[in-house]
Amino acid sequence: MTDPRPEEPVEPTELEHTPETETGGGPSTAATLVAEAFGTLLLVLGVISTALFAANFGASDNGTSLGVGFLGVSLAVGITVIAGAYAFGPISGGHFNPAVTLGLAAAGRFPWRGVLPYIIAQVVGGLVATTLVVLVGLFGPDGWLSRAQDGGFASNGFGDASPANFGLGAAIIVEVLFTALFVIVILGTTHVTRGTQFAGLVIGLTLVLIHLAIIPIDNASVNPARSIASAVYGGPVALGQLWVFIVFPIVGGLIAGFAYRALFDSTKDGRKRA
């Protein structure tokens, strides 16, 4: 049988997830890397500051608190991503996450040659953010900084370092699964023909949902840059478990990128879109 409503063949479309153009009219390489660093700084500063300064603020022995809790931390992540997407996305594409960058490259949306510089910029931005939190803590109440570091500095973790004592297997599963779902949402909402002008909002809200779901399991990474930034100040346990939150979000991002390209970027004549 043949399709009663055949469509004209669709030529492959170049889908680099940066605003750079072939004519050189886009932002410079330096500008895109600085934008990635600033966007990641904003994201990490938002989530770690909220987790350490505001989540349990005013907690008392009887359980009452003026803090924002898990909901507030989750909203902080989403809000910072939305802000970063609209502020820096037009310059760099607004990845702010090594797993996202690798997933976009796997999907053909970002050049592989740009992956390493982007990841370096993201890690640097995250480290600057947590260093700024430490500097604020130096001027905090007596013992605040040492208590924050003894508590893991909002690092990701499993076992005793998990908020609800979930094990390594749970951390691996949720990091792969939820990072993959996150990258698929990004690929869908930013598609050159099927995407939406509200992509930044959708992506940010998706990240809120992810954090609401998995903060109790492993403090919700889905972003190696965020995990590295907090583990550096989180002590030996956080550093010892860090490999999980580097490896498995990346695995999830790559799975999503390759799968999306194979499943959703085919044309009717069987060709793959670029």
Side-chain angles (χ1 to χ4, degrees):
M1 297 180 64
T2 58
D3 190 338
R5 297 168 296 155
E7 295 184 0
E8 293 295 323
V10 178
E11 293 298 323
T13 304
E14 186 66 26
L15 295 176
E16 287 192 336
H17 198 66
T18 69
E20 184 179 355
T21 66
E22 292 182 359
T23 59
S28 67
T29 299
T32 61
L33 295 179
V34 171
E36 273 299 293
F38 269 105
T40 312
L41 184 154
L42 176 63
L43 187 159
V44 174
L45 190 63
V47 64
I48 302 302
S49 293
T50 305
L52 293 179
F53 297 138
N56 295 312
F57 180 77
S60 64
D61 293 338
N62 63 9
T64 59
S65 174
L66 300 176
V68 298
F70 286 172
L71 175 60
V73 175
S74 301
L75 288 171
V77 178
I79 291 168
T80 55
V81 166
I82 293 169
Y86 289 109
F88 302 112
I91 303 170
S92 69
H95 303 185
F96 317 144
N97 182 338
V100 170
T101 298
L102 286 161
L104 291 168
R109 305 282 189 92
F110 186 76
W112 285 102
R113 67 180 181 276
V115 167
L116 183 59
Y118 261 53
I119 290 176
I120 292 172
Q122 292 156 359
V123 171
V124 169
L127 289 170
V128 171
T130 49
T131 300
L132 291 172
V133 174
V134 169
L135 289 176
V136 173
L138 289 173
F139 298 95
D142 288 343
W144 182 91
L145 182 57
S146 61
R147 289 194 299 272
Q149 291 181 294
D150 290 343
F153 211 74
S155 296
N156 304 110
F158 54 87
D160 290 341
S162 160
N165 297 112
F166 281 83
L168 172 60
I172 290 173
I173 291 169
V174 297
E175 291 301 325
V176 172
L177 174 61
F178 283 92
T179 306
L181 293 173
F182 182 50
V183 172
I184 286 172
V185 169
I186 292 171
L187 289 168
T189 57
T190 61
H191 194 278
V192 69
T193 58
R194 303 189 296 263
T196 171
Q197 62 181 324
F198 301 109
L201 179 62
V202 175
I203 291 165
L205 291 175
T206 301
L207 204 54
V208 172
L209 175 62
I210 289 170
H211 279 70
L212 286 173
I214 68 172
I215 282 178
I217 297 172
D218 65 357
N219 256 347
S221 173
V222 300
N223 185 339
R226 170 262 191 269
S227 298
I228 292 168
S230 54
V232 164
Y233 294 106
V237 173
L239 287 170
Q241 296 186 352
L242 177 60
W243 65 276
V244 172
F245 305 101
I246 294 175
V247 172
F248 292 103
I250 287 174
V251 170
L254 289 172
I255 289 172
F258 287 122
Y260 191 96
R261 191 171 191 179
L263 294 171
F264 302 121
D265 275 345
S266 298
T267 61
K268 284 201 170 185
D269 60 2
R271 292 179 296 175
K272 302 293 184 186
R273 297 178 189 263

